[in-house]
Amino acid sequence: MAAIASTLIPNPNPSSNAIVSSLRSPPSFIASTSCLFGNKFLVKPLLAPTMRAQTKRSDGTAPFQRLKPIKVSSHTFDVVVVGAGIIGLTIARQFLMESDLSVAVVDAAVPCAGATGAGQGYLWMVHKAPGSDKWELAMRSRKLWEMFAENVQHQGMNPLEMLGWKKTGSLLIGRTSQDSAMLKRRVDQLSEAGLRAEFLSHGDLLLKEPALMIGKEGGAAFLPDDCQIDAQRAVSFIEKVNRHFASEGRYAEFYYEPATSLLRSGSGEVKAVQTSKNTLYSKKAVIIAAGCWSGTLMHDLIRDTGLDLDVPVKPRKGHLLVVENLNSFILNHGLMEAGYVNHEAGTLHSSVSASGPVDAESLSVSMTATMDSRGDLVLGSSRQFVGFSTEMNESVINRIWERAGEFFPTLRELSLRDFCQSRKVRIGLRPYMPDGKPVIGAVPGLSNLFLAAGHEGEGLSLALGTAEMVANLVLGSPGTVDHAPFALENRLWA
């Protein structure tokens, strides 16, 4: 989801022809001779000493700061990635670490200014369906995230500090006998698919989560190995890994530079991305990974190509409520209600006013609850189609709080008004695809142009598998996961 609370600081020299680095600085880390997915780093600091010496914020990360622009010596790269969310940055990382190609990342803002920065950060499998088109991609991404966290630890760093990595386990909760029957079937399916899964009866569930209140007919599917991350920390870490390759002339960032058009050769190949300030030539591939903006961006970029393609990625607005310092409330695992599965798969409804009363037919609210890496309670989640509006709607926040109170009696005893000074609201736009699957692959009719978008609320959980798939497609390497379910053919509207 797209965070409207992201701190955006203007380019310190807007007229310069320069790379503007992201303004966030994560905790400092040192590269070691061990590897992340097989590529060795040099034994040297990846951050300048002055940055490493900065005082940390209360959440353990370094303060935001303005980095000096780096002058560009060449505007030609092997790969140009448009979009600096989790999908775009992990795609860049994949090329940098698994090939010798050079990469440029372009964005109209900075990392975590879009969907990535506003999510809950869960990498759960409990609500996913074995055998579905997305299952193998989700399983591959899960494995890659686990490898990522393990390698961070092997390099002498703390995955919790660097990535917000926590092995919380996840609970998919039902309150009726019908829910329990469905959850038992899901546990059987997840177990057959190779995951540790267990059905918890009402009594067993309350032993794990005493704050819950469900009927005696209720229960939960429990996956003890499910994990979550902090998107801001994970993106900061990935960004620093990518920047390691800048000294080799293989990586550059062009932030605050919206892409405005594509340049093609006489044979029709996409050869460059024109931004508001630069022309970035690509020798091998241009990849559009701009989240919910991918549909409208593609429309603008191909306007003069003569092709009549419509990429049906739409923004799907969501609110999350973060309650700070609620020390009296204990949550031991990540939770979501069973209805979340249908909530996530909901279809397009008509728009409603972003500031007025909520139209019940256009809004879907389903309970999710996590504790973030700072120990704050994060409650969700809402879904509605209101275009690109990111205005906060207080009535949606009230609905989220009320829905959480149906599961947690302690919250019903508290008034949301009491938390005016200790709450935050994350608002973002998920990239929705009508068929519920991301589009990943070459764009028909535009050689060298690729698309990776439409992950809805699964961008974090599917990011590493998506990055691997895109790199394999561009490089012509055999894929670990079948690409066919995500190909663009027959999924773009003409």
Side-chain angles (χ1 to χ4, degrees), residues 24 79-93 95 103-116 235 238-239 242 251-260 262 273 275 280 286-294 297 301 449-453 467 470:
R24 293 168 295 98
V79 177
V80 176
V81 180
V82 180
I86 190 66
I87 301 297
L89 288 175
T90 53
I91 289 172
R93 174 186 171 277
F95 282 111
V103 182
V105 175
V106 182
D107 200 281
V110 292
C112 279
T116 298
V235 164
I238 291 168
E239 229 184 343
N242 289 353
Y251 181 68
E253 296 167 348
F254 295 83
Y255 294 162
Y256 299 110
E257 290 198 34
T260 57
L262 299 175
V273 175
T275 76
L280 306 177
V286 171
I287 300 161
I288 307 299
C292 71
W293 293 275
S294 296
L297 178 60
L301 293 179
L449 183 65
F450 294 78
L451 184 63
V470 169

Side-chain angles (χ1 to χ4, degrees), residues 1-6 112-118 292-293 318 390 426-430:
M1 299 193 322
I4 61 170
S6 299
C112 279
T116 298
C292 71
W293 293 275
T390 54
R426 301 178 189 173
I427 301 173
L429 303 174
R430 303 176 183 91

